Amino acid sequence: DKQKQLALGQMAAAVMHDIGNAISPVFSLIKLLHTVDQLPDRAKKIGDSLDTSVEHALNVLSNLRQYYQNAGETTRSSANLQELVRKIPDITSVRWWNDPESGRGKLNFSINAPGQAIIECNEFEILQVLVNLVLNAIDAMPDGGTIGIQLAVKDDQALLAISDTGIGMTPEAASICFDPYVTGRTEGTGLGLAVCKRIIEDHGGEIDVSTDQPQGVTFNIRLPLRQAKPTEKKPGTFSSCLIVGGNTEDSKPLDEALARLKIKTNKASGPDEALLEVFSADYDFAIIHVAADSTIHSYLTRMIYRSKPGIKVVWWLGDDYRPRPLELDESIRPDAILNTPYTTEEFSSLIQAL
């Protein structure tokens, strides 16, 4: 089994590499779309949906590779399940967009997630589960209907229920729906629910399905709430950094300071390479070189904040650019700014302050 899992991990890595290369031009087109003046509101909304969908696709590929290579050992951090739930309509909008020409009936979301539910998890694995369940619900309602998502907290558990008003499932089908290679769709692989079950159980939780309602089915998920830890990571104790752009000569003080602080560093030459790095590895912070004649740093900052909320972003400014952070939109406002020229000591102090 271990050899089979390793082989699947190697295959997933190869698939991620090839699909990642294929998706990279999509990022460039989306960036171009965001720079168009007087873009219609509908086009802006489509662009935002493309952002979200491509982010999710790369995250799924990244976690698929990591999942098979290190089952049960993926990187985890604190996440608010309420926030993850509210991302689902946007992530899945490509499949449920209410376009009259699509021939699909109208779909509605009914989300009831009034309070926070903090769990320790791999955020993108949990999103993968939620997206998979919602896409299954969409497929079960070709004539339209309602997808319900209910979130509650009881004792030390987060309780999540995802329901639909679709064609339903027989008790016999429900009893084997989590088994690998079991599917009711000709185009299905039969692995979706099996992977969902494995992810939830790896997070110490449980998942089951209920078929006793008049219409559709309900998937019930129970996950343990995050327990307070006696010691937390102290501010400034970072271990990994991604540097985006800039030339070798200008980055020498950065390299010296990072080496002194024993922070592992990777470099990306441009935004496409940077986003692939962010999606496929875990970084504590990113340093983005900013040029006055470009808006790429704003786009990249927004994408990082949306995809990996825990990452800190530092703008490394060229001599010819001095933005006013408080005047920037919150979605692209960096956590810190490093002016050029700078010394190794100044940069070390900035990192400690983060």
Side-chain angles (χ1 to χ4, degrees):
D1 286 346
K2 194 167 185 180
Q3 290 180 341
K4 185 183 294 184
Q5 182 169 297
L6 179 60
L8 286 169
Q10 293 171 342
M11 181 181 70
V15 170
M16 179 188 170
H17 178 267
D18 291 341
I19 296 182
N21 287 339
I23 289 178
S24 290
V26 178
F27 276 118
S28 299
L29 290 173
I30 294 172
K31 285 183 294 187
L32 181 62
L33 184 65
H34 284 301
T35 63
V36 175
D37 294 331
Q38 298 180 337
L39 199 64
D41 289 341
R42 179 175 171 82
K44 290 179 181 178
K45 188 171 183 179
I46 292 174
D48 289 339
S49 296
L50 285 172
D51 276 344
T52 305
S53 297
V54 175
E55 285 172 29
H56 181 68
L58 287 176
N59 288 326
V60 168
L61 287 170
S62 172
N63 277 281
L64 182 63
R65 179 186 65 179
Q66 191 176 24
Y67 188 71
Y68 278 118
Q69 288 177 333
N70 305 289
E73 299 177 7
T74 51
T75 302
R76 297 177 185 181
S77 59
S78 296
N80 185 357
L81 198 52
Q82 178 194 49
E83 294 178 0
L84 301 189
V85 163
R86 296 195 180 280
K87 290 181 179 181
I88 299 304
D90 282 341
I91 293 176
T92 60
S93 62
V94 173
R95 288 281 292 276
W96 61 261
W97 193 278
N98 293 316
D99 185 350
E101 297 180 2
S102 67
R104 174 182 286 279
K106 185 175 181 180
L107 285 163
N108 298 299
F109 279 84
S110 175
I111 297 178
N112 182 18
Q116 291 191 346
I118 308 300
I119 60 175
E120 192 79 10
C121 70
N122 181 293
E123 179 175 328
F124 295 105
E125 286 186 351
I126 298 302
L127 273 175
Q128 183 180 347
V129 171
L130 301 182
V131 168
N132 197 303
L133 295 177
V134 167
L135 292 182
N136 284 351
I138 292 171
D139 289 338
M141 297 186 296
D143 297 324
T146 299
I147 297 172
I149 306 179
Q150 309 287 324
L151 175 64
V153 171
K154 184 177 181 181
D155 299 328
D156 58 350
Q157 286 191 318
L159 308 178
L160 188 62
I162 299 177
S163 62
D164 63 66
T165 56
I167 57 178
M169 187 184 298
T170 66
E172 293 75 19
S175 67
I176 59 172
C177 69
F178 294 107
D179 293 347
Y181 309 111
V182 172
T183 180
R185 296 182 293 122
T186 55
E187 71 277 13
T189 64
L191 289 174
L193 290 179
V195 171
C196 288
K197 186 173 189 290
R198 184 175 174 184
I199 290 173
I200 294 300
E201 290 180 347
D202 278 350
H203 282 77
E206 298 176 334
I207 182 172
D208 60 46
V209 60
S210 171
T211 62
D212 55 3
Q213 59 263 43
Q215 284 183 298
V217 298
T218 298
F219 284 90
N220 304 292
I221 298 172
R222 294 169 290 281
L223 287 166
L225 294 175
R226 177 182 182 273
Q227 301 298 314
K229 296 181 179 179
T231 58
E232 296 287 353
K233 188 175 182 180
K234 296 179 180 180
T237 56
F238 296 141
S239 60
S240 59
C241 167
L242 177 65
I243 300 177
V244 185
N247 60 57
T248 303
E249 187 64 30
D250 290 343
S251 67
K252 280 185 177 179
L254 282 181
D255 297 334
E256 292 173 3
L258 290 166
R260 183 183 300 176
L261 294 170
K262 297 181 179 180
I263 296 175
K264 182 180 178 182
T265 304
N266 281 332
K267 296 187 178 182
S269 59
D272 293 339
E273 185 180 346
L275 287 172
L276 286 174
E277 277 291 326
V278 168
F279 292 137
S280 61
D282 292 308
Y283 292 97
D284 294 311
F285 66 105
I287 300 173
I288 303 174
H289 186 260
V290 177
D293 59 348
S294 173
T295 60
I296 294 300
H297 58 280
S298 298
Y299 171 81
L300 185 55
T301 300
R302 182 168 67 92
M303 293 290 284
I304 289 175
Y305 283 155
R306 286 178 59 181
S307 60
K308 294 287 184 74
I311 294 182
K312 301 290 186 181
V313 173
V314 177
W315 281 6
W316 168 24
L317 305 184
D319 293 322
D320 54 352
Y321 185 54
R322 291 292 184 271
R324 297 180 181 179
L326 293 180
E327 295 179 2
L328 296 171
D329 185 271
E330 187 176 353
S331 66
I332 62 169
R333 189 181 303 162
D335 296 286
I337 287 180
L338 178 66
N339 292 312
T340 302
Y342 61 93
T343 65
T344 301
E345 290 71 23
E346 288 171 341
F347 175 68
S348 298
S349 298
L350 180 147
I351 295 305
Q352 294 296 332
L354 284 178

